[in-house]
Amino acid sequence: MKPLCFFTFLMLAGQAAAENWPQWRGPSRDGISPEKNLPEVWGPEQNIRWRAPLAGLGTSTPVIWEDLVFLTSQLGMGPIDRRGAEFDEGVTAKDYTREDNRITFVVQAFAHKDGRQVWEHRFDAVDLSGSLPSVHPKHNFATPSTTTDGELVYAWVGTGQLVALTLKGDLVWSRHIGRDYAPFRVLWGHGSSPMLYRDTLILLCDHPPGAYLIALDKTNGKELWKVARGKGIRSYSTPFVVPGPEGDELVVNSSHRIEVYDPKTGELLWHVGEPVTLAIGVPVYANGILYASRGYSSGPYSAIRLGGRDDVNASHVEWHVPTRAPYISSLLYYNEKIFMATERGIASVVDAKNGETLWRERLGGAFTASPVAGDGKVYLLNESGETFVFEASAPPKLVSRNRLEERTLASPAISGGTLFIRTDAHLVAIGATRR
Protein backbone atom coordinates (compact mmCIF):
# COMPACT_ATOMS: atom_id res chain seq x y z
CA MET A 1 0.00 0.00 0.00
CA LYS A 2 1.31 3.44 -0.90
CA PRO A 3 1.68 5.97 1.90
CA LEU A 4 -0.97 8.67 2.17
CA CYS A 5 0.21 11.45 -0.12
CA PHE A 6 0.13 15.07 0.92
CA PHE A 7 -2.68 15.93 -1.48
CA THR A 8 -4.97 13.33 0.09
CA PHE A 9 -4.09 14.72 3.51
CA LEU A 10 -4.87 18.22 2.27
CA MET A 11 -8.28 17.16 1.00
CA LEU A 12 -9.14 15.43 4.26
CA ALA A 13 -7.99 18.46 6.22
CA GLY A 14 -10.08 20.71 3.99
CA GLN A 15 -13.16 18.58 4.59
CA ALA A 16 -12.60 18.53 8.33
CA ALA A 17 -12.09 22.30 8.47
CA ALA A 18 -14.89 23.17 6.06
CA GLU A 19 -15.11 26.79 7.16
CA ASN A 20 -11.56 27.54 5.98
CA TRP A 21 -10.80 28.84 2.48
CA PRO A 22 -7.03 29.02 3.00
CA GLN A 23 -5.79 29.83 -0.51
CA TRP A 24 -6.69 30.69 -4.08
CA ARG A 25 -9.55 28.35 -5.13
CA GLY A 26 -10.30 27.05 -1.67
CA PRO A 27 -9.52 24.07 0.58
CA SER A 28 -8.75 21.61 -2.24
CA ARG A 29 -7.61 24.19 -4.83
CA ASP A 30 -10.55 23.41 -7.10
CA GLY A 31 -13.08 26.16 -6.29
CA ILE A 32 -15.40 23.72 -4.49
CA SER A 33 -16.80 24.06 -0.97
CA PRO A 34 -18.04 20.98 0.92
CA GLU A 35 -20.56 23.11 2.84
CA LYS A 36 -24.36 22.96 2.61
CA ASN A 37 -27.15 25.56 2.74
CA LEU A 38 -25.25 28.14 0.71
CA PRO A 39 -26.89 31.44 -0.32
CA GLU A 40 -29.04 31.63 -3.43
CA VAL A 41 -30.64 35.09 -3.52
CA TRP A 42 -29.25 38.55 -2.69
CA GLY A 43 -29.00 42.13 -3.90
CA PRO A 44 -27.40 45.49 -3.01
CA GLU A 45 -29.63 45.79 0.07
CA GLN A 46 -30.94 42.23 0.35
CA ASN A 47 -29.46 39.34 2.37
CA ILE A 48 -26.12 41.10 2.87
CA ARG A 49 -24.60 40.10 6.21
CA TRP A 50 -22.10 42.94 6.08
CA ARG A 51 -20.12 45.15 3.70
CA ALA A 52 -16.62 46.27 4.72
CA PRO A 53 -14.73 49.09 2.94
CA LEU A 54 -11.35 48.16 1.46
CA ALA A 55 -8.17 50.19 1.82
CA GLY A 56 -7.43 50.14 -1.91
CA LEU A 57 -7.85 48.37 -5.22
CA GLY A 58 -6.95 44.77 -6.04
CA THR A 59 -8.23 41.50 -7.46
CA SER A 60 -6.96 39.05 -4.86
CA THR A 61 -9.45 36.45 -3.61
CA PRO A 62 -10.64 36.54 0.02
CA VAL A 63 -8.72 33.95 2.06
CA ILE A 64 -10.34 32.69 5.25
CA TRP A 65 -9.05 30.96 8.34
CA GLU A 66 -11.52 30.39 11.18
CA ASP A 67 -12.75 33.83 12.29
CA LEU A 68 -10.57 35.96 9.98
CA VAL A 69 -10.81 36.98 6.31
CA PHE A 70 -7.62 38.22 4.61
CA LEU A 71 -7.25 40.47 1.56
CA THR A 72 -4.52 42.49 -0.11
CA SER A 73 -4.98 45.90 -1.73
CA GLN A 74 -2.91 48.60 -3.39
CA LEU A 75 -3.01 52.31 -2.58
CA GLY A 76 -1.91 54.46 -5.50
CA MET A 77 -1.75 53.56 -9.17
CA GLY A 78 1.27 52.99 -11.38
CA PRO A 79 1.44 53.04 -15.19
CA ILE A 80 -1.35 51.33 -17.17
CA ASP A 81 -0.92 49.32 -20.39
CA ARG A 82 -4.29 49.37 -22.15
CA ARG A 83 -3.47 46.81 -24.84
CA GLY A 84 -5.93 43.93 -24.73
CA ALA A 85 -8.43 45.90 -22.63
CA GLU A 86 -11.31 45.63 -25.07
CA PHE A 87 -13.50 43.96 -22.46
CA ASP A 88 -12.67 46.41 -19.66
CA GLU A 89 -15.74 47.51 -17.69
CA GLY A 90 -13.85 50.58 -16.59
CA VAL A 91 -12.19 51.80 -13.44
CA THR A 92 -9.85 54.59 -14.49
CA ALA A 93 -6.41 55.24 -13.07
CA LYS A 94 -7.51 58.61 -11.69
CA ASP A 95 -9.87 56.81 -9.33
CA TYR A 96 -6.93 55.38 -7.39
CA THR A 97 -4.00 57.74 -7.92
CA ARG A 98 -2.31 59.52 -5.01
CA GLU A 99 -0.95 63.02 -4.90
CA ASP A 100 2.51 61.82 -3.83
CA ASN A 101 2.59 59.09 -6.57
CA ARG A 102 3.55 56.49 -3.97
CA ILE A 103 2.28 52.93 -4.01
CA THR A 104 1.56 51.20 -0.72
CA PHE A 105 0.37 47.63 -0.21
CA VAL A 106 -2.13 46.76 2.52
CA VAL A 107 -2.93 43.36 4.02
CA GLN A 108 -6.24 43.59 5.86
CA ALA A 109 -7.83 41.09 8.24
CA PHE A 110 -11.59 41.28 8.81
CA ALA A 111 -13.78 39.53 11.35
CA HIS A 112 -15.74 36.72 9.71
CA LYS A 113 -18.77 37.46 11.87
CA ASP A 114 -19.35 41.17 11.30
CA GLY A 115 -16.73 42.54 8.87
CA ARG A 116 -14.94 44.61 11.48
CA GLN A 117 -11.32 45.30 10.52
CA VAL A 118 -9.19 43.43 13.06
CA TRP A 119 -5.79 44.61 11.82
CA GLU A 120 -3.87 45.79 8.78
CA HIS A 121 -0.24 45.64 7.71
CA ARG A 122 1.19 48.19 5.26
CA PHE A 123 4.42 48.25 3.27
CA ASP A 124 5.58 50.54 0.48
CA ALA A 125 6.40 49.36 -3.03
CA VAL A 126 10.14 49.03 -3.56
CA ASP A 127 10.98 49.97 -7.15
CA LEU A 128 14.36 48.57 -8.12
CA SER A 129 14.67 50.05 -11.61
CA GLY A 130 13.34 53.56 -11.23
CA SER A 131 10.08 52.84 -13.06
CA LEU A 132 7.45 50.30 -12.10
CA PRO A 133 6.22 48.06 -14.94
CA SER A 134 2.85 48.79 -16.53
CA VAL A 135 -0.14 46.70 -15.49
CA HIS A 136 -3.40 45.73 -17.16
CA PRO A 137 -6.41 48.04 -16.49
CA LYS A 138 -8.17 45.12 -14.81
CA HIS A 139 -5.58 44.55 -12.13
CA ASN A 140 -2.59 46.00 -10.31
CA PHE A 141 0.26 44.71 -8.15
CA ALA A 142 -2.24 43.44 -5.54
CA THR A 143 -3.49 40.62 -7.77
CA PRO A 144 -1.91 37.58 -6.05
CA SER A 145 -4.07 36.12 -3.28
CA THR A 146 -2.69 35.44 0.17
CA THR A 147 -2.34 31.92 1.53
CA THR A 148 -2.29 30.62 5.10
CA ASP A 149 -1.63 27.45 7.08
CA GLY A 150 -3.37 28.77 10.18
CA GLU A 151 -0.08 29.89 11.69
CA LEU A 152 1.22 32.48 9.22
CA VAL A 153 -0.38 34.48 6.41
CA TYR A 154 1.77 34.94 3.28
CA ALA A 155 1.18 37.97 1.07
CA TRP A 156 3.04 38.36 -2.23
CA VAL A 157 2.66 41.35 -4.56
CA GLY A 158 3.53 42.13 -8.15
CA THR A 159 6.77 43.95 -7.38
CA GLY A 160 8.14 40.67 -5.98
CA GLN A 161 7.83 41.71 -2.32
CA LEU A 162 6.73 38.97 0.07
CA VAL A 163 5.72 39.18 3.73
CA ALA A 164 4.89 36.49 6.29
CA LEU A 165 2.57 37.66 9.07
CA THR A 166 1.09 36.07 12.15
CA LEU A 167 -2.67 35.81 12.38
CA LYS A 168 -2.45 38.86 14.64
CA GLY A 169 -0.77 40.88 11.88
CA ASP A 170 2.80 40.86 13.23
CA LEU A 171 5.63 40.63 10.69
CA VAL A 172 7.68 37.41 11.02
CA TRP A 173 9.86 37.69 7.92
CA SER A 174 9.97 39.41 4.54
CA ARG A 175 11.83 39.10 1.26
CA HIS A 176 11.99 40.92 -2.07
CA ILE A 177 12.04 38.13 -4.68
CA GLY A 178 12.48 40.65 -7.50
CA ARG A 179 15.65 41.97 -5.86
CA ASP A 180 17.07 38.65 -4.69
CA TYR A 181 16.68 36.80 -8.02
CA ALA A 182 15.51 38.84 -11.03
CA PRO A 183 13.33 41.94 -11.56
CA PHE A 184 9.62 41.31 -11.97
CA ARG A 185 9.00 42.30 -15.61
CA VAL A 186 6.07 40.68 -17.36
CA LEU A 187 3.47 42.13 -19.73
CA TRP A 188 0.49 43.54 -17.75
CA GLY A 189 2.01 42.68 -14.37
CA HIS A 190 2.59 39.61 -12.20
CA GLY A 191 -0.47 37.52 -11.29
CA SER A 192 0.62 34.19 -9.77
CA SER A 193 -0.26 33.53 -6.10
CA PRO A 194 1.98 31.77 -3.54
CA MET A 195 1.33 28.09 -2.80
CA LEU A 196 1.97 26.17 0.43
CA TYR A 197 3.14 22.56 0.32
CA ARG A 198 4.15 20.85 3.57
CA ASP A 199 6.82 23.14 5.06
CA THR A 200 7.53 25.05 1.85
CA LEU A 201 6.17 28.11 0.12
CA ILE A 202 6.36 27.68 -3.67
CA LEU A 203 6.50 30.70 -6.00
CA LEU A 204 6.22 30.76 -9.80
CA CYS A 205 8.11 33.67 -11.39
CA ASP A 206 7.61 33.21 -15.14
CA HIS A 207 8.76 36.49 -16.66
CA PRO A 208 10.40 36.84 -20.11
CA PRO A 209 13.81 38.14 -18.86
CA GLY A 210 14.17 35.01 -16.72
CA ALA A 211 11.60 32.46 -15.59
CA TYR A 212 12.12 30.42 -12.45
CA LEU A 213 10.34 28.34 -9.82
CA ILE A 214 11.46 28.56 -6.20
CA ALA A 215 10.61 26.90 -2.89
CA LEU A 216 11.19 28.70 0.41
CA ASP A 217 11.14 27.49 4.00
CA LYS A 218 7.78 28.79 5.17
CA THR A 219 9.10 29.55 8.66
CA ASN A 220 11.93 31.90 7.66
CA GLY A 221 11.87 32.47 3.88
CA LYS A 222 15.19 30.76 3.15
CA GLU A 223 15.58 29.08 -0.23
CA LEU A 224 15.17 25.30 -0.31
CA TRP A 225 15.40 24.80 -4.07
CA LYS A 226 15.25 26.83 -7.27
CA VAL A 227 14.66 25.78 -10.90
CA ALA A 228 15.60 27.99 -13.85
CA ARG A 229 12.90 27.71 -16.53
CA GLY A 230 14.51 29.70 -19.35
CA LYS A 231 13.79 33.00 -21.06
CA GLY A 232 10.83 34.25 -23.05
CA ILE A 233 8.29 32.40 -20.83
CA ARG A 234 5.21 34.06 -19.36
CA SER A 235 2.67 32.81 -16.87
CA TYR A 236 0.04 34.44 -14.70
CA SER A 237 -1.15 31.09 -13.35
CA THR A 238 -0.70 29.69 -9.85
CA PRO A 239 1.13 26.36 -9.37
CA PHE A 240 -0.58 23.60 -7.43
CA VAL A 241 0.07 20.05 -6.22
CA VAL A 242 -1.85 16.93 -7.32
CA PRO A 243 -1.46 13.23 -6.41
CA GLY A 244 0.48 11.53 -9.21
CA PRO A 245 0.87 7.79 -9.83
CA GLU A 246 4.10 7.72 -7.81
CA GLY A 247 3.67 10.63 -5.44
CA ASP A 248 2.73 14.29 -5.34
CA GLU A 249 3.29 16.35 -8.50
CA LEU A 250 3.60 20.13 -8.88
CA VAL A 251 1.74 21.47 -11.93
CA VAL A 252 2.78 24.66 -13.75
CA ASN A 253 0.80 26.19 -16.63
CA SER A 254 2.83 28.64 -18.73
CA SER A 255 3.12 30.02 -22.25
CA HIS A 256 5.81 27.36 -22.88
CA ARG A 257 3.78 24.25 -21.98
CA ILE A 258 2.34 22.48 -18.95
CA GLU A 259 5.19 21.15 -16.84
CA VAL A 260 5.08 18.86 -13.82
CA TYR A 261 7.76 18.86 -11.09
CA ASP A 262 8.57 16.99 -7.91
CA PRO A 263 7.40 19.52 -5.26
CA LYS A 264 10.01 18.28 -2.76
CA THR A 265 13.05 18.80 -5.01
CA GLY A 266 12.06 20.83 -8.09
CA GLU A 267 12.99 17.98 -10.44
CA LEU A 268 11.15 18.08 -13.78
CA LEU A 269 9.04 14.92 -14.11
CA TRP A 270 7.14 15.32 -17.38
CA HIS A 271 5.54 17.90 -19.64
CA VAL A 272 2.82 18.21 -22.24
CA GLY A 273 1.43 20.75 -24.70
CA GLU A 274 2.63 23.31 -27.19
CA PRO A 275 3.52 26.99 -26.69
CA VAL A 276 0.64 29.48 -26.44
CA THR A 277 0.46 33.27 -26.33
CA LEU A 278 -0.58 33.53 -22.68
CA ALA A 279 -1.31 31.18 -19.79
CA ILE A 280 -3.55 32.57 -17.05
CA GLY A 281 -6.00 29.92 -15.90
CA VAL A 282 -5.13 27.41 -13.18
CA PRO A 283 -5.80 23.78 -14.21
CA VAL A 284 -8.17 21.76 -12.08
CA TYR A 285 -7.62 18.15 -10.96
CA ALA A 286 -10.11 15.29 -10.57
CA ASN A 287 -9.72 11.50 -10.61
CA GLY A 288 -6.24 11.39 -12.12
CA ILE A 289 -7.01 13.99 -14.82
CA LEU A 290 -5.98 17.63 -15.24
CA TYR A 291 -8.46 19.89 -16.99
CA ALA A 292 -6.57 22.88 -18.34
CA SER A 293 -7.34 25.99 -20.40
CA ARG A 294 -4.48 27.71 -22.21
CA GLY A 295 -4.01 30.66 -24.48
CA TYR A 296 -5.49 33.99 -25.39
CA SER A 297 -9.18 34.81 -25.93
CA SER A 298 -11.21 31.73 -26.95
CA GLY A 299 -8.18 29.45 -26.59
CA PRO A 300 -7.91 25.67 -26.24
CA TYR A 301 -8.75 23.42 -23.31
CA SER A 302 -7.84 19.79 -22.66
CA ALA A 303 -8.08 16.79 -20.38
CA ILE A 304 -4.63 15.47 -19.50
CA ARG A 305 -3.92 12.18 -17.76
CA LEU A 306 -1.14 12.37 -15.18
CA GLY A 307 2.12 10.75 -16.28
CA GLY A 308 4.79 8.63 -14.60
CA ARG A 309 7.99 10.05 -13.19
CA ASP A 310 10.15 8.75 -16.04
CA ASP A 311 7.75 10.03 -18.67
CA VAL A 312 9.62 13.30 -19.23
CA ASN A 313 8.38 13.88 -22.77
CA ALA A 314 5.02 12.22 -22.38
CA SER A 315 1.81 13.30 -24.05
CA HIS A 316 -1.24 12.19 -22.13
CA VAL A 317 -4.04 14.16 -23.77
CA GLU A 318 -7.36 12.39 -23.26
CA TRP A 319 -9.26 14.97 -25.30
CA HIS A 320 -8.57 18.42 -26.71
CA VAL A 321 -10.89 21.25 -27.80
CA PRO A 322 -9.08 23.93 -29.86
CA THR A 323 -11.24 26.94 -28.95
CA ARG A 324 -13.93 28.52 -26.70
CA ALA A 325 -12.05 28.40 -23.38
CA PRO A 326 -11.98 31.46 -21.09
CA TYR A 327 -9.03 33.81 -21.37
CA ILE A 328 -8.65 34.66 -17.66
CA SER A 329 -11.20 32.68 -15.66
CA SER A 330 -10.18 29.15 -14.63
CA LEU A 331 -12.25 26.04 -15.32
CA LEU A 332 -14.46 24.41 -12.68
CA TYR A 333 -14.87 20.61 -12.43
CA TYR A 334 -18.05 19.71 -10.56
CA ASN A 335 -20.43 16.73 -10.72
CA GLU A 336 -18.38 15.17 -13.58
CA LYS A 337 -18.83 18.27 -15.72
CA ILE A 338 -16.71 21.28 -16.65
CA PHE A 339 -18.27 24.70 -16.05
CA MET A 340 -16.78 27.86 -17.51
CA ALA A 341 -17.61 31.45 -18.47
CA THR A 342 -15.66 33.72 -20.82
CA GLU A 343 -14.73 37.38 -21.10
CA ARG A 344 -17.36 37.62 -23.86
CA GLY A 345 -20.14 36.61 -21.48
CA ILE A 346 -20.63 33.06 -22.78
CA ALA A 347 -21.09 30.20 -20.31
CA SER A 348 -20.64 26.52 -21.15
CA VAL A 349 -21.07 23.11 -19.58
CA VAL A 350 -18.81 20.36 -20.97
CA ASP A 351 -18.84 16.61 -20.43
CA ALA A 352 -15.61 15.92 -18.53
CA LYS A 353 -15.36 12.42 -20.01
CA ASN A 354 -15.02 13.48 -23.66
CA GLY A 355 -15.02 17.29 -23.95
CA GLU A 356 -18.43 17.39 -25.62
CA THR A 357 -20.34 20.64 -25.10
CA LEU A 358 -23.60 19.89 -23.27
CA TRP A 359 -24.87 23.46 -22.99
CA ARG A 360 -23.72 26.91 -24.13
CA GLU A 361 -25.46 30.25 -23.65
CA ARG A 362 -24.64 33.95 -23.68
CA LEU A 363 -25.28 35.36 -20.21
CA GLY A 364 -23.96 38.85 -20.82
CA GLY A 365 -21.18 40.84 -19.23
CA ALA A 366 -17.54 39.85 -19.02
CA PHE A 367 -16.35 37.06 -16.69
CA THR A 368 -12.94 37.50 -15.07
CA ALA A 369 -13.64 35.80 -11.73
CA SER A 370 -13.30 32.01 -11.67
CA PRO A 371 -16.47 30.05 -10.86
CA VAL A 372 -17.00 28.38 -7.48
CA ALA A 373 -19.40 25.63 -6.45
CA GLY A 374 -20.97 23.94 -3.46
CA ASP A 375 -24.23 22.42 -2.24
CA GLY A 376 -25.10 21.35 -5.80
CA LYS A 377 -24.85 24.91 -7.12
CA VAL A 378 -22.42 26.74 -9.40
CA TYR A 379 -21.74 30.48 -8.98
CA LEU A 380 -20.70 32.52 -12.05
CA LEU A 381 -19.79 36.13 -11.23
CA ASN A 382 -19.37 38.75 -13.97
CA GLU A 383 -17.53 42.07 -13.85
CA SER A 384 -20.65 44.18 -13.36
CA GLY A 385 -21.31 42.45 -10.02
CA GLU A 386 -23.99 40.04 -11.19
CA THR A 387 -23.84 36.44 -9.96
CA PHE A 388 -25.66 33.70 -11.86
CA VAL A 389 -26.54 30.79 -9.57
CA PHE A 390 -27.14 27.51 -11.41
CA GLU A 391 -28.01 24.01 -10.35
CA ALA A 392 -25.04 21.87 -11.39
CA SER A 393 -26.93 19.89 -14.03
CA ALA A 394 -26.74 19.62 -17.81
CA PRO A 395 -28.36 21.72 -19.03
CA PRO A 396 -27.97 23.78 -15.87
CA LYS A 397 -31.08 25.23 -14.27
CA LEU A 398 -30.88 28.93 -13.45
CA VAL A 399 -31.73 29.43 -9.78
CA SER A 400 -31.24 33.19 -9.52
CA ARG A 401 -29.49 36.30 -10.86
CA ASN A 402 -28.13 38.55 -8.13
CA ARG A 403 -26.62 42.03 -8.57
CA LEU A 404 -24.33 43.98 -6.26
CA GLU A 405 -23.97 46.98 -8.62
CA GLU A 406 -20.21 47.20 -8.03
CA ARG A 407 -17.43 46.06 -10.35
CA THR A 408 -16.18 42.60 -9.40
CA LEU A 409 -13.04 41.00 -10.80
CA ALA A 410 -11.89 38.78 -7.93
CA SER A 411 -13.03 35.18 -7.52
CA PRO A 412 -15.48 34.51 -4.65
CA ALA A 413 -14.75 32.47 -1.52
CA ILE A 414 -17.08 30.31 0.59
CA SER A 415 -16.87 29.84 4.34
CA GLY A 416 -19.30 29.17 7.16
CA GLY A 417 -22.38 29.19 4.93
CA THR A 418 -21.35 32.59 3.59
CA LEU A 419 -20.30 33.72 0.11
CA PHE A 420 -17.55 36.37 0.19
CA ILE A 421 -17.28 38.66 -2.83
CA ARG A 422 -14.57 41.27 -3.25
CA THR A 423 -15.62 44.31 -5.31
CA ASP A 424 -13.49 47.30 -6.23
CA ALA A 425 -14.49 49.08 -3.03
CA HIS A 426 -15.82 46.49 -0.57
CA LEU A 427 -15.62 43.01 0.85
CA VAL A 428 -19.21 41.75 0.87
CA ALA A 429 -20.47 38.83 2.99
CA ILE A 430 -23.67 37.21 1.72
CA GLY A 431 -25.67 35.03 4.09
CA ALA A 432 -27.38 31.70 3.50
CA THR A 433 -30.87 32.96 2.73
CA ARG A 434 -32.68 30.72 0.27
CA ARG A 435 -35.57 31.23 -2.08
Side-chain angles (χ1 to χ4, degrees), residues 269-284:
L269 302 178
W270 58 276
H271 56 77
V272 64
E274 68 288 337
V276 295
T277 303
L278 295 169
I280 298 177
V282 178
V284 64

PDB file of all heavy atoms in Angstrom, residues 269-284:
ATOM      1  N   LEU A 269       9.498  16.300 -13.959  1.00  0.00           N
ATOM      2  CA  LEU A 269       9.045  14.923 -14.106  1.00  0.00           C
ATOM      3  C   LEU A 269       8.521  14.639 -15.511  1.00  0.00           C
ATOM      4  O   LEU A 269       8.877  13.640 -16.114  1.00  0.00           O
ATOM      5  CB  LEU A 269       7.947  14.617 -13.076  1.00  0.00           C
ATOM      6  CG  LEU A 269       8.323  14.813 -11.606  1.00  0.00           C
ATOM      7  CD1 LEU A 269       7.127  14.525 -10.710  1.00  0.00           C
ATOM      8  CD2 LEU A 269       9.502  13.919 -11.236  1.00  0.00           C
ATOM      9  N   TRP A 270       7.663  15.497 -16.023  1.00  0.00           N
ATOM     10  CA  TRP A 270       7.139  15.325 -17.376  1.00  0.00           C
ATOM     11  C   TRP A 270       6.487  16.623 -17.826  1.00  0.00           C
ATOM     12  O   TRP A 270       6.303  17.544 -17.037  1.00  0.00           O
ATOM     13  CB  TRP A 270       6.156  14.156 -17.463  1.00  0.00           C
ATOM     14  CG  TRP A 270       4.948  14.221 -16.573  1.00  0.00           C
ATOM     15  CD1 TRP A 270       4.872  13.845 -15.260  1.00  0.00           C
ATOM     16  CD2 TRP A 270       3.639  14.672 -16.927  1.00  0.00           C
ATOM     17  NE1 TRP A 270       3.612  14.038 -14.772  1.00  0.00           N
ATOM     18  CE2 TRP A 270       2.813  14.539 -15.774  1.00  0.00           C
ATOM     19  CE3 TRP A 270       3.050  15.153 -18.096  1.00  0.00           C
ATOM     20  CZ2 TRP A 270       1.465  14.882 -15.761  1.00  0.00           C
ATOM     21  CZ3 TRP A 270       1.708  15.500 -18.100  1.00  0.00           C
ATOM     22  CH2 TRP A 270       0.930  15.361 -16.943  1.00  0.00           C
ATOM     23  N   HIS A 271       6.176  16.703 -19.111  1.00  0.00           N
ATOM     24  CA  HIS A 271       5.544  17.904 -19.642  1.00  0.00           C
ATOM     25  C   HIS A 271       4.650  17.531 -20.807  1.00  0.00           C
ATOM     26  O   HIS A 271       4.754  16.443 -21.386  1.00  0.00           O
ATOM     27  CB  HIS A 271       6.585  18.942 -20.064  1.00  0.00           C
ATOM     28  CG  HIS A 271       7.587  18.443 -21.066  1.00  0.00           C
ATOM     29  ND1 HIS A 271       7.286  18.291 -22.400  1.00  0.00           N
ATOM     30  CD2 HIS A 271       8.875  18.061 -20.928  1.00  0.00           C
ATOM     31  CE1 HIS A 271       8.350  17.842 -23.042  1.00  0.00           C
ATOM     32  NE2 HIS A 271       9.330  17.684 -22.170  1.00  0.00           N
ATOM     33  N   VAL A 272       3.765  18.462 -21.168  1.00  0.00           N
ATOM     34  CA  VAL A 272       2.817  18.206 -22.237  1.00  0.00           C
ATOM     35  C   VAL A 272       2.365  19.544 -22.806  1.00  0.00           C
ATOM     36  O   VAL A 272       2.327  20.552 -22.112  1.00  0.00           O
ATOM     37  CB  VAL A 272       1.606  17.386 -21.726  1.00  0.00           C
ATOM     38  CG1 VAL A 272       0.822  18.160 -20.690  1.00  0.00           C
ATOM     39  CG2 VAL A 272       0.700  16.953 -22.868  1.00  0.00           C
ATOM     40  N   GLY A 273       2.015  19.560 -24.092  1.00  0.00           N
ATOM     41  CA  GLY A 273       1.428  20.752 -24.698  1.00  0.00           C
ATOM     42  C   GLY A 273       2.412  21.579 -25.480  1.00  0.00           C
ATOM     43  O   GLY A 273       3.633  21.444 -25.349  1.00  0.00           O
ATOM     44  N   GLU A 274       1.846  22.454 -26.318  1.00  0.00           N
ATOM     45  CA  GLU A 274       2.630  23.312 -27.192  1.00  0.00           C
ATOM     46  C   GLU A 274       2.623  24.740 -26.649  1.00  0.00           C
ATOM     47  O   GLU A 274       1.811  25.081 -25.797  1.00  0.00           O
ATOM     48  CB  GLU A 274       2.033  23.292 -28.601  1.00  0.00           C
ATOM     49  CG  GLU A 274       0.661  23.963 -28.731  1.00  0.00           C
ATOM     50  CD  GLU A 274      -0.463  23.165 -28.090  1.00  0.00           C
ATOM     51  OE1 GLU A 274      -0.318  21.938 -27.924  1.00  0.00           O
ATOM     52  OE2 GLU A 274      -1.499  23.781 -27.750  1.00  0.00           O
ATOM     53  N   PRO A 275       3.521  25.597 -27.136  1.00  0.00           N
ATOM     54  CA  PRO A 275       3.523  26.992 -26.689  1.00  0.00           C
ATOM     55  C   PRO A 275       2.221  27.704 -27.059  1.00  0.00           C
ATOM     56  O   PRO A 275       1.592  27.416 -28.072  1.00  0.00           O
ATOM     57  CB  PRO A 275       4.714  27.597 -27.439  1.00  0.00           C
ATOM     58  CG  PRO A 275       5.591  26.439 -27.778  1.00  0.00           C
ATOM     59  CD  PRO A 275       4.655  25.290 -28.031  1.00  0.00           C
ATOM     60  N   VAL A 276       1.814  28.638 -26.192  1.00  0.00           N
ATOM     61  CA  VAL A 276       0.641  29.482 -26.437  1.00  0.00           C
ATOM     62  C   VAL A 276       1.030  30.924 -26.160  1.00  0.00           C
ATOM     63  O   VAL A 276       2.106  31.201 -25.628  1.00  0.00           O
ATOM     64  CB  VAL A 276      -0.553  29.069 -25.549  1.00  0.00           C
ATOM     65  CG1 VAL A 276      -1.029  27.672 -25.902  1.00  0.00           C
ATOM     66  CG2 VAL A 276      -0.190  29.154 -24.071  1.00  0.00           C
ATOM     67  N   THR A 277       0.159  31.850 -26.521  1.00  0.00           N
ATOM     68  CA  THR A 277       0.464  33.269 -26.327  1.00  0.00           C
ATOM     69  C   THR A 277       0.521  33.631 -24.852  1.00  0.00           C
ATOM     70  O   THR A 277       1.453  34.288 -24.386  1.00  0.00           O
ATOM     71  CB  THR A 277      -0.591  34.132 -27.029  1.00  0.00           C
ATOM     72  OG1 THR A 277      -0.621  33.784 -28.421  1.00  0.00           O
ATOM     73  CG2 THR A 277      -0.256  35.618 -26.904  1.00  0.00           C
ATOM     74  N   LEU A 278      -0.480  33.211 -24.102  1.00  0.00           N
ATOM     75  CA  LEU A 278      -0.576  33.527 -22.680  1.00  0.00           C
ATOM     76  C   LEU A 278      -1.114  32.323 -21.927  1.00  0.00           C
ATOM     77  O   LEU A 278      -1.844  31.510 -22.488  1.00  0.00           O
ATOM     78  CB  LEU A 278      -1.517  34.715 -22.444  1.00  0.00           C
ATOM     79  CG  LEU A 278      -1.105  36.077 -23.003  1.00  0.00           C
ATOM     80  CD1 LEU A 278      -2.273  37.047 -22.899  1.00  0.00           C
ATOM     81  CD2 LEU A 278       0.087  36.627 -22.260  1.00  0.00           C
ATOM     82  N   ALA A 279      -0.765  32.226 -20.656  1.00  0.00           N
ATOM     83  CA  ALA A 279      -1.314  31.179 -19.789  1.00  0.00           C
ATOM     84  C   ALA A 279      -1.720  31.830 -18.474  1.00  0.00           C
ATOM     85  O   ALA A 279      -0.868  32.291 -17.719  1.00  0.00           O
ATOM     86  CB  ALA A 279      -0.297  30.076 -19.551  1.00  0.00           C
ATOM     87  N   ILE A 280      -3.026  31.888 -18.238  1.00  0.00           N
ATOM     88  CA  ILE A 280      -3.547  32.574 -17.046  1.00  0.00           C
ATOM     89  C   ILE A 280      -4.301  31.606 -16.136  1.00  0.00           C
ATOM     90  O   ILE A 280      -4.093  31.590 -14.929  1.00  0.00           O
ATOM     91  CB  ILE A 280      -4.463  33.741 -17.455  1.00  0.00           C
ATOM     92  CG1 ILE A 280      -3.662  34.776 -18.261  1.00  0.00           C
ATOM     93  CG2 ILE A 280      -5.083  34.394 -16.214  1.00  0.00           C
ATOM     94  CD1 ILE A 280      -4.494  35.930 -18.784  1.00  0.00           C
ATOM     95  N   GLY A 281      -5.181  30.809 -16.702  1.00  0.00           N
ATOM     96  CA  GLY A 281      -6.005  29.923 -15.903  1.00  0.00           C
ATOM     97  C   GLY A 281      -5.209  28.878 -15.146  1.00  0.00           C
ATOM     98  O   GLY A 281      -4.153  28.430 -15.592  1.00  0.00           O
ATOM     99  N   VAL A 282      -5.726  28.486 -13.985  1.00  0.00           N
ATOM    100  CA  VAL A 282      -5.133  27.415 -13.184  1.00  0.00           C
ATOM    101  C   VAL A 282      -5.842  26.107 -13.528  1.00  0.00           C
ATOM    102  O   VAL A 282      -7.078  26.043 -13.437  1.00  0.00           O
ATOM    103  CB  VAL A 282      -5.265  27.712 -11.686  1.00  0.00           C
ATOM    104  CG1 VAL A 282      -4.680  26.570 -10.855  1.00  0.00           C
ATOM    105  CG2 VAL A 282      -4.576  29.024 -11.347  1.00  0.00           C
ATOM    106  N   PRO A 283      -5.131  25.062 -13.937  1.00  0.00           N
ATOM    107  CA  PRO A 283      -5.802  23.780 -14.206  1.00  0.00           C
ATOM    108  C   PRO A 283      -6.508  23.261 -12.962  1.00  0.00           C
ATOM    109  O   PRO A 283      -6.201  23.658 -11.830  1.00  0.00           O
ATOM    110  CB  PRO A 283      -4.643  22.853 -14.605  1.00  0.00           C
ATOM    111  CG  PRO A 283      -3.559  23.779 -15.068  1.00  0.00           C
ATOM    112  CD  PRO A 283      -3.695  24.999 -14.212  1.00  0.00           C
ATOM    113  N   VAL A 284      -7.455  22.378 -13.189  1.00  0.00           N
ATOM    114  CA  VAL A 284      -8.172  21.764 -12.076  1.00  0.00           C
ATOM    115  C   VAL A 284      -7.983  20.251 -12.171  1.00  0.00           C
ATOM    116  O   VAL A 284      -7.884  19.695 -13.273  1.00  0.00           O
ATOM    117  CB  VAL A 284      -9.668  22.155 -12.097  1.00  0.00           C
ATOM    118  CG1 VAL A 284     -10.374  21.622 -13.326  1.00  0.00           C
ATOM    119  CG2 VAL A 284     -10.379  21.707 -10.830  1.00  0.00           C
TER     120      VAL A 284
END
